[in-house]
Amino acid sequence: MDENTKIDSGIDISFFVPCLNEEKNICDSLNVILSATKETDVSYEVLVVDDHSTDRTIAVVEEFMRQHPDMPVRIIKNERINGLGRNYVDTSYHANGKHYMMVTGDNSLPEKSLVTFLYHMGEADMIVPNYAFGHDQRTFLRKLISESFTKLVNILSGYSLKYYNGETLHLRRNVVRWHSDTNGFGYQAELLTRLLDEGFSCKEITMANNTRTNGSTSAFKIQNIFAVCHSLLQILFRRMRKELFYRKRS
């Protein structure tokens, strides 16, 4: 099946749901998708990617599928940990929807926020969240790191988005065509700045998020820190190349 056929599949959106030891959270995430899609009446599919969990994540998802046979869920099982950035890109090739969005397996996206995303779907090439003051439920440290990362990306890229991580709604073909090459958590910043460079439209929307109640995040592992540094350098070098190219042309 070629890319054009997949884009015209009739499915409005593909949800990428990454999991790494999320047995206590994943059902809540899937229920958020189920409720939000019923409210907005969109056609969809769900691709749950298990990134080599060592708990019962897969068994829990399989039981959820038995209890909800009408929900279009597929499981992709990794034989090793590939990382969020790589899974995000790889799954876009397996997906069939016109649009593409991550809903994390840790239940960090409230149903109301997902409904907001879906109501704005199609209004721009990118629908980007902004967890403004009073809407961000993460810890002070997580918010501080996130705000610092956002400011740094804006300095390096020359743009002024309010948020560069997390759930963003894309045209799937743009993820396939312009994706980043990192395994780490900076993949969305690379993709967003690249698409802005290419002239794609962007709409920022204010919404709320949750903080995980079970388990811990892997965002601060040393390999992810190095991967984020790689993404920041990619953003800087791309801006330098762009400015040098336009300077030569003028």
Side-chain angles (χ1 to χ4, degrees), residues 89-194:
V89 174
D90 287 354
T91 306
S92 70
Y93 285 87
H94 292 286
N96 298 291
K98 179 178 180 180
H99 297 88
Y100 185 71
M101 180 180 173
M102 177 180 71
V103 175
T104 55
D106 61 2
N107 191 34
S108 62
L109 186 68
E111 179 186 335
K112 183 178 179 181
S113 295
L114 181 53
V115 168
T116 302
F117 266 114
L118 296 178
Y119 275 134
H120 286 284
M121 186 169 63
E123 294 180 2
D125 299 314
M126 301 169 276
I127 307 297
V128 183
N130 167 29
Y131 303 117
F133 179 76
H135 295 272
D136 194 339
Q137 303 302 314
R138 294 171 300 173
T139 64
F140 173 78
L141 179 60
R142 291 289 304 276
K143 287 187 282 189
L144 179 62
I145 293 173
S146 179
E147 290 172 3
S148 300
F149 178 75
T150 297
K151 290 179 181 178
L152 185 54
V153 172
N154 281 332
I155 290 171
L156 296 178
S157 67
Y159 296 113
S160 57
L161 294 186
K162 297 181 179 66
Y163 195 65
Y164 282 98
N165 287 328
E167 297 87 353
T168 295
L169 198 158
H170 287 283
L171 289 168
R172 187 180 61 83
R173 64 172 179 263
N174 285 347
V175 178
V176 172
R177 173 64 180 85
W178 302 105
H179 63 80
S180 67
D181 63 352
T182 180
N183 292 356
F185 283 74
Y187 72 94
Q188 195 65 252
E190 280 194 57
L191 177 58
L192 286 170
T193 54
R194 180 68 180 271

Side-chain angles (χ1 to χ4, degrees), residues 27-37 103 107 109-111 114:
C27 285
D28 291 332
S29 294
L30 294 174
N31 277 317
V32 164
I33 294 174
L34 184 61
S35 297
T37 51
V103 175
N107 191 34
L109 186 68
E111 179 186 335
L114 181 53

